[in-house]
Each structure stands twice: as structure tokens, then as C-alpha cells.
Amino acid sequence: MSPGPDASAEAPVVARLSTLDRLLPVWILTAMAIGLLAGRLIPGLGSALDAVSVSGVSLPIALGLLVMMYPVLAKVRYDRLDTVTGDRRLMVASLVLNWVIGPALMFALAWLLLPDLPEYRTGLIVVGLARCIAMVIIWNDLACGDREAAAVLVALNSVFQVITFAVLGWFYLDLLPGWLGLPTTDLDVSAWQIAGSVLVFLGIPLVAGYLSRRLGERTHGRDWYESRFLPRVGPFALYGLLFTIVILFALQGRAITSQPLDVARIALPLLIYFALMWAGSYALGRAIGLGYARTTTLAFTAAGNNFELAIAVAIATFGVTSGQALARVVGPLIEVPVLVALVYVSLAARRRWTALT
């Protein structure tokens, strides 16, 4: 993986990336294509992968995410977390962006651009309610964001997800549309389902990363841990990411490729959402005086979404073949390449930021 926020800024950031990281867009587009083709061409593959699931979440996807997140969380300096929790500007900005602006923006875009497609509209609104707790850690690390800040903000999102997801679902799908004279939708989701998603996708790799650093430094020292252990496990983050993408797109390859017009209709509000959330968060970070690393972390944690939870909720509530489930599956189809592109935008902004300071 790419160097963290403490790396020297003297040389261009992209030039310091490994060959594996520099060709990241190629690997990701290849993984997406393999997944889509496999799901389309191999009979029964999607059904077979979907059968190996718990509460609507594919176990192969869960495995890929755990492999993806562990190396990044093993890099976190847990003794520095107090410097993040004490940054009130960052904490308040993240809460407002994730739990006020993000859901409201997706609600508005879904109704403005999909007024005639209620199933897809509902699926997108659910996307807006599920804040990212997994892949955002990868995008942040690649963009040289603040790893400690990412760990804290992701944990904060996880707590708020358990507490507020069902309430916000009721507000945006039932109460608010009713006030506005629009059709309403019921969302049947339990706090246990959300807590289970948080435990699997964040809790397990977070505990593993913390114990790795604690035991590794205690046994062999920090220099050994950071110069020898982390370089060995680091590449597995990308391997896990690519594996997850292949499985994810294989699961819905047939649905995506057989309904291209529907996919395009769903993609438009998602593209606008990711662009507005990332750019707006980046502008806010600069306006309130955050440095490059924490501004980048703020932007990616606000723009990303928890597709694992949203897919599980859509499948459990509306069914695996529903329009709501399709809308959520299209999310990663748009989110992955867009956020990869924004990683490179961030790296370019980092060079300019350094030059101005």
C-alpha cells in the first residue's frame, strides 16, 4: 500500500507508490470486468455465491473485506488516537456531513432524478443512510490521509449507524415523504442486524489490527513492526479489495448487464452524490483549517457508503431480486471507480497543498 501521511512530501506522491499501487485503476477495472463476465457467463455462479451468506451478506464478500481492512488497521498508531478525538472541528464536521447532509442529499437526488422509479429511489435512499465503515479505510490510506483519524471516524460512524439507522430510515422513507405529500415506504430493519454488520466488518479487523501492533511492538519493537512486519502484510489489503470486487460484481453480473438503462438511471444520482459529498467535504475541511491528511480523511469518510449493510437491508426487506437490491448493487459499480479517481485527485491536491504551504 501507499505511504502514510507521515511520508516525506519532497518527491511526487504517485512516484513513490509501488507498481502495484500505481496501476490500481487497471487492477480494479479488471476485477470489475472479471466479476461481471463471470456472473453473466457462468451459469448458477451468482446463486451459488449468494447461497453462502448470513443475513443477506455474502460470506466471500465478508472474507474479502476482512483481508482488505486488517493490514490498514494494523498500520494505525493507536497511541495517537487521543489527538483525533480532541479535534472538535474534525469530529463535528464528520458527524454533520455523515448524518445530516449525506442522507438529506441522497433523499433529494433520489426524488429529483428517480420520481417514476420508486424501487430504485428507495434503494438509493437506503444507500444514503448507510455510512461507510470498510472500503473508506483503503481509499483514505491510498490518498495519504490520516490513518488514526480514519479509524476514529469510522468507529464513530459505526456507533451512530447502530443507534440511528432505523430511525433515519423511518424519517426519510415514511415521515418526511408523508409531510411532503409523497408516497411512503416501510423499512423493516433491526438494530441487531446493523450491530452484526458493524461487528463483522469493523470490529474483527479493528481488534486484530490493534492486537497485532500491541503484541508486535511489545515482542520485537516498533522499528521491526513498521519496517518488516507491515511491508509483508500491506499488499494483502489490495488483494482483499480486488477479491471483494470480483465477488461483488459476480453476484449481480447478470442483473447489471441485462438492465443497462436502469443501471444508467441509478448511476446518475450516485455520480452527483459522490462528487458533491467529496468536494463539499474537502472544501469544508480547508475552510475550518484542517491539514491535508485530515481534510482528505473527512472527504472520503463522508463520500463513501456501507454497501455491505445497505445490500443486506435491501435483500432482507425487499428481496434479492427487488429493484431496491439492484439499486444498492449499482452503488459499488459507481463508487469504486469514482473514489479511485478521487484518490488521484487527492494526491494531486496534496502536491499543490504542499507547494502553497
Side-chain angles (χ1 to χ4, degrees):
M1 300 296 293
S2 58
D6 295 329
S8 170
E10 294 178 1
V13 177
V14 175
R16 293 200 306 271
L17 298 178
S18 67
T19 302
L20 195 66
D21 284 345
R22 281 202 301 270
L23 296 177
L24 179 65
V26 176
W27 309 136
I28 287 181
L29 290 175
T30 301
M32 292 170 64
I34 291 172
L36 287 172
L37 289 174
R40 180 75 183 182
L41 300 178
I42 301 177
L45 177 61
S47 300
L49 290 173
D50 192 56
V52 189
S53 63
V54 176
S55 300
V57 178
S58 166
L59 292 183
I61 288 180
L63 174 63
L65 288 169
L66 293 178
V67 173
M68 176 189 78
M69 292 179 66
Y70 164 71
V72 182
L73 289 171
K75 295 177 182 179
V76 171
R77 290 283 301 273
Y78 292 93
D79 55 342
R80 295 180 178 175
L81 294 186
D82 59 334
T83 66
V84 179
T85 56
D87 190 339
R88 293 185 179 180
R89 297 169 302 170
L90 176 67
M91 303 291 282
V92 172
S94 179
L95 287 175
V96 171
L97 287 167
N98 277 286
W99 298 103
V100 179
I101 295 176
L105 176 60
M106 189 67 87
F107 175 85
L109 290 172
W111 273 101
L112 286 171
L113 299 176
L114 300 174
D116 57 327
L117 298 171
E119 289 190 355
Y120 298 154
R121 185 178 64 236
T122 298
L124 285 183
I125 292 172
V126 173
V127 169
L129 302 179
R131 314 313 299 168
C132 195
I133 63 171
M135 279 192 176
V136 67
I137 293 178
I138 288 286
W139 311 136
N140 177 76
D141 202 53
L142 287 167
C144 298
D146 188 317
R147 289 184 186 128
E148 289 70 40
V152 170
L153 295 186
V154 163
L156 188 66
N157 277 347
S158 300
V159 172
F160 270 75
Q161 207 148 232
V162 173
I163 297 172
T164 67
F165 187 90
V167 175
L168 288 175
W170 166 73
F171 178 78
Y172 281 107
L173 293 174
D174 189 7
L175 186 62
L176 183 58
W179 286 349
L180 300 174
L182 302 171
T184 62
T185 305
D186 291 328
L187 184 67
D188 182 18
V189 57
S190 71
W192 290 112
Q193 183 180 16
I194 302 167
S197 173
V198 170
L199 177 63
V200 171
F201 296 121
L202 178 63
I204 293 175
L206 183 62
V207 170
Y210 172 79
L211 291 177
S212 293
R213 179 170 282 278
R214 187 73 179 269
L215 296 176
E217 290 187 355
R218 179 181 297 175
T219 304
H220 300 285
R222 177 164 294 178
D223 182 66
W224 174 89
Y225 183 82
E226 296 190 345
S227 64
R228 300 189 63 181
F229 177 75
L230 290 182
R232 291 178 182 175
V233 301
F236 284 93
L238 181 54
Y239 303 152
L241 172 64
L242 297 177
F243 175 80
T244 302
I245 291 171
V246 170
I247 298 299
L248 179 65
F249 286 94
L251 278 168
Q252 294 292 335
R254 183 169 296 276
I256 291 173
T257 56
S258 63
Q259 303 178 66
L261 293 179
D262 287 356
V263 169
R265 287 286 306 271
I266 297 167
L268 179 59
L270 284 169
L271 282 170
I272 297 173
Y273 173 84
F274 292 133
L276 289 178
M277 285 300 294
W278 189 90
S281 303
Y282 202 92
L284 176 61
R286 293 211 64 169
I288 62 177
L290 299 178
Y292 167 81
R294 290 191 177 177
T295 294
T296 297
T297 301
L298 180 67
F300 278 101
T301 52
N305 293 97
N306 185 352
F307 70 81
E308 310 88 11
L309 174 60
I311 289 175
V313 170
I315 290 174
T317 304
F318 305 106
V320 68
T321 60
S322 65
Q324 291 89 343
L326 176 62
R328 191 53 201 109
V329 169
V330 174
L333 177 69
I334 305 303
E335 179 175 346
V336 169
V338 168
L339 292 188
V340 169
L342 290 174
V343 165
Y344 285 86
V345 173
S346 293
L347 293 176
R350 185 177 192 248
R351 294 195 297 272
R352 180 175 174 81
W353 195 308
T354 302
L356 291 175
T357 55

